[in-house]
Amino acid sequence: MRLFVALAPPADVLTDVDAALGPAREVQPDLRWIPVERWHLTLAFYGEVPDESLTGVIEMVARKLSRRPLPGPVELSFSGSGQFSRRALWVGVAGDVDRLRALAKSVNTDRRPYRPHLTVARLRGGQDATRAAEVLSSYAGPVWHAGEVHLVRSFLGPHPRYETVSSWPVTGPAPES
């Protein structure tokens, strides 16, 4: 099974992003726009994991999160846009980004630097999403608080979908001095 760890922004925040995408969709309707119900803020991607390893992955994520609890809520908003190597159009993240990076680092098994973003469209065959990114460049969405971290299973195919396997609160007790 394919697994990843993510935050699920509140519905009203995603509705705001979706509305902001209207003009970008008009200037580049040929992009593969990702449906709102599949939007999430990925913290770590584990890829293919054997079914029998699921319990171990759940325990690992719980252990990693308990080692680095974040005191208080993580305040975020979506802001700006860009594209990755002509593969994806994204909306950026603002707010407590350093704390978000610490959260991602706590569950990540990859050594690459974490680049927080919300992927809103996939690009085909080296498409250039510059016009859509320019339309979204000044976007500044509402502030929201990250409440839970989710371990998510991804089902690929013609109609991809996600299923939450387990969840944990983002915040924990303040570390003792």
Side-chain angles (χ1 to χ4, degrees):
M1 68 182 76
R2 289 171 58 95
L3 296 174
F4 63 91
V5 179
L7 300 176
D12 61 322
V13 170
L14 296 180
T15 298
D16 193 82
V17 174
D18 190 39
L21 288 180
R25 287 182 181 115
E26 286 179 19
V27 298
Q28 290 203 257
D30 56 328
L31 300 181
R32 282 183 28 215
W33 295 97
I34 297 170
V36 176
E37 60 271 10
R38 291 202 335 251
W39 288 353
H40 58 273
L41 193 56
T42 302
L43 298 174
F45 180 72
Y46 298 146
E48 292 291 335
V49 174
D51 290 359
E52 61 273 10
S53 298
L54 180 59
T55 300
V57 172
I58 291 170
E59 291 170 354
M60 175 197 68
V61 174
R63 187 174 53 255
K64 287 176 175 256
L65 288 170
S66 71
R67 287 184 187 151
R68 291 191 182 196
L70 297 175
V74 178
E75 190 172 271
L76 303 169
S77 64
F78 290 112
S79 178
S81 65
Q83 63 180 314
F84 288 131
S85 306
R86 297 190 182 217
R87 290 180 312 175
L89 173 67
W90 51 264
V91 174
V93 179
D96 291 335
V97 176
D98 288 341
R99 293 177 75 215
L100 179 63
R101 281 192 178 101
L103 184 62
K105 185 177 180 180
S106 73
V107 295
N108 214 321
T109 56
D110 193 350
R111 299 282 182 225
R112 290 182 294 174
Y114 177 66
R115 296 176 62 185
H117 65 280
L118 177 69
T119 301
V120 294
R122 297 275 178 211
L123 310 180
R124 298 175 203 172
Q127 279 179 300
D128 183 359
T130 299
R131 291 180 298 148
E134 286 172 354
V135 169
L136 294 168
S137 65
S138 62
Y139 175 70
V143 172
W144 56 283
H145 295 95
E148 288 187 315
V149 174
H150 305 281
L151 178 63
V152 181
R153 181 176 182 181
S154 172
F155 295 87
L156 301 178
H159 304 288
R161 65 182 176 86
Y162 302 133
E163 174 184 281
T164 298
V165 174
S166 197
S167 299
W168 302 269
V170 167
T171 60
E176 293 184 27
S177 311

